[in-house]
Amino acid sequence: MTGFQSRFFLLIAGLVCFAGLLWGSIAIGQDVPAAAEAATAEAASPGPEEVVTGVYINDIHELDFRTHSYAVDFYVWFRWRNKDINPAKTMEFMNRSAPDDHVRELLYEEPKVLPDGSFYAIVRNQGRFATKLKLENYPFDRQDLVILFEDSANGVGAQVYRADDKPVTLSGSIVLPGFGIEAAQMEIGAYRYPTNFGDTTVGAEEAYSRAAVSIAISRPMTALSVKTFLPILLIMACAGLVLFIRPAFIDARVGLGITALLTLVALQLAGGSSLPEVDYLTMVDKVYLASYGFIMLVLFRVVRASWRDSGGEAAIARADRVWFALIVVLYVVALTGITADSFGELMRAAPLAA
């Protein structure tokens, strides 16, 4: 190959390399505005502000089953980084009862700046809250005392709650007469309202980050068993003794049975005076129904025996013993079914509140 040909090929190779570099720079130049635009869009929408929250329960008192309400004294705190918001001021309690009786106090008039640059605020609130208390297993019921709060100004697109490392703390001095405190927890989720509240800048629905603080309480079983069921069993014992009175004393047999029935009715009315009207039977209601059945079967046997003279008193007394054993067996079976059903529900519900 001559020197001219070598120089010609070198020239061609140089032109090809130059064209490749020029094409690459044009392509990169076209991608730079797109990348810059994407970065600008990402910076413009950094996502919702994360607000760390937690609660300290100072006291619980005035648990009222008739109004499904309870009074709680507690502190709730927030930590966040956006200086343009203040979750302590825009936080709203969603299950307040008697709102005018609530006392709400900001411990810091302005948010406190922490060493890491985040903001901190704490609120103390005293007042009554409400939730629908479940009484199916009364008097062995377990209840969850709930406090619900969310931000009244910012939806999930702008702000979300996150539970602190230890989200709920209970004061060691809390005493709730008649109940033991089992556990406390906080759950946070997006609560979606099926409306935009007339705000045309949002969609057909609006969702807000909601924190639910629940405190599980239960009644002491031993003490409640004695207080609730011992009087009923004593009345049943008196009703059963009717069948051991001589058949000749028909007035005494009927009178004792009727007295036991009226006493049981009065006991049920007195025991339910502190409970609200509900559209279902509680556990103790079922026990009373079984007890009414016991007494009615005893009275049925007494009335039936009063019309049968064949065989004399001895034969009637023997038949009374058989009836007594049968009625007691039926009563025990009914109580066992009621107890098994109620405690089965308790066992299924226990892990949910732990």
Side-chain angles (χ1 to χ4, degrees), residues 129-166:
F129 294 84
T131 192
K132 298 300 181 289
L133 301 174
K134 299 179 180 179
L135 299 170
E136 290 90 343
N137 296 315
Y138 176 85
F140 299 135
D141 52 312
R142 298 177 69 260
Q143 303 294 344
D144 288 320
L145 308 184
V146 180
I147 302 170
L148 301 174
F149 62 90
E150 65 184 40
D151 198 275
S152 61
N154 301 307
V156 294
Q159 176 183 311
V160 294
Y161 287 137
R162 179 173 68 83
D164 208 343
D165 295 336
K166 190 175 182 182

Side-chain angles (χ1 to χ4, degrees), residues 10-350:
L10 288 174
L11 177 62
I12 294 298
L15 289 174
V16 170
C17 291
F18 178 75
L21 291 173
L22 181 62
W23 177 262
S25 64
I26 292 173
I28 292 173
Q30 290 177 344
D31 290 341
V32 167
E37 184 178 352
T40 303
E42 183 178 357
S45 57
E49 175 71 17
E50 188 176 74
V51 177
V52 179
T53 184
V55 171
Y56 174 78
I57 307 296
N58 188 51
D59 196 11
I60 305 171
H61 49 92
E62 296 183 19
L63 178 58
D64 188 348
F65 277 83
R66 292 193 64 84
T67 60
H68 295 272
S69 66
Y70 39 89
V72 187
D73 176 9
F74 65 99
Y75 297 83
V76 55
W77 64 83
F78 303 96
R79 293 198 309 273
W80 72 98
R81 291 190 172 276
N82 188 347
K83 63 181 178 60
D84 296 327
I85 65 173
N86 188 345
K89 290 186 176 180
T90 55
M91 178 262 295
E92 178 182 8
F93 294 109
M94 307 309 298
N95 62 326
R96 293 181 300 171
S97 177
D100 294 338
D101 294 336
H102 277 248
V103 178
R104 178 169 169 171
E105 177 185 3
L106 277 168
L107 271 64
Y108 302 107
E109 189 63 30
E110 296 296 331
K112 179 180 177 181
V113 180
L114 299 179
D116 63 354
S118 62
F119 297 94
Y120 170 79
I122 184 168
V123 178
R124 182 177 184 179
N125 191 90
Q126 297 169 290
R128 300 192 68 82
F129 294 84
T131 192
K132 298 300 181 289
L133 301 174
K134 299 179 180 179
L135 299 170
E136 290 90 343
N137 296 315
Y138 176 85
F140 299 135
D141 52 312
R142 298 177 69 260
Q143 303 294 344
D144 288 320
L145 308 184
V146 180
I147 302 170
L148 301 174
F149 62 90
E150 65 184 40
D151 198 275
S152 61
N154 301 307
V156 294
Q159 176 183 311
V160 294
Y161 287 137
R162 179 173 68 83
D164 208 343
D165 295 336
K166 190 175 182 182
V168 183
T169 304
L170 297 173
S171 170
S173 61
I174 295 178
V175 176
L176 192 58
F179 291 89
I181 298 177
E182 294 186 354
Q185 64 179 4
M186 175 186 287
E187 294 183 357
I188 295 176
Y191 185 84
R192 186 170 298 277
Y193 291 93
T195 177
N196 61 1
F197 299 99
D199 187 352
T200 58
T201 62
V202 299
E205 297 181 347
E206 182 71 294
Y208 291 83
S209 183
R210 173 176 289 191
V213 179
S214 60
I215 307 158
I217 62 173
S218 62
R219 303 177 194 264
M221 289 191 178
T222 303
L224 261 295
S225 297
V226 173
K227 292 180 179 180
T228 304
F229 298 113
L230 182 58
I232 297 176
L233 294 178
L234 290 176
I235 295 173
M236 293 304 98
C238 293
L241 289 176
V242 168
L243 298 180
F244 290 88
I245 299 176
R246 287 182 57 184
F249 301 133
I250 182 64
D251 292 341
R253 284 157 66 96
V254 173
L256 182 57
I258 295 297
T259 301
L261 180 61
L262 295 177
T263 305
L264 189 65
V265 171
L267 184 64
Q268 183 181 19
L269 293 176
S273 60
S274 61
L275 299 179
E277 294 293 335
V278 292
D279 58 353
Y280 52 82
L281 294 176
T282 66
M283 176 189 177
V284 72
D285 288 334
K286 297 174 184 177
V287 172
Y288 276 113
L289 287 177
S291 302
Y292 290 137
F294 182 101
I295 296 176
M296 293 308 298
L297 286 174
V298 169
L299 289 174
F300 173 79
R301 169 56 193 169
V302 169
V303 173
R304 186 171 183 272
S306 68
W307 289 89
R308 296 174 63 90
D309 294 330
S310 59
E313 283 193 359
I316 295 176
R318 285 193 299 270
D320 284 346
R321 307 300 187 271
V322 174
W323 272 82
F324 175 79
L326 178 61
I327 294 172
V328 169
V329 169
L330 291 175
Y331 186 63
V332 170
V333 169
L335 293 184
T336 302
I338 293 169
T339 304
D341 181 62
S342 296
F343 278 90
E345 291 184 8
L346 284 175
M347 294 301 102
R348 289 191 295 270

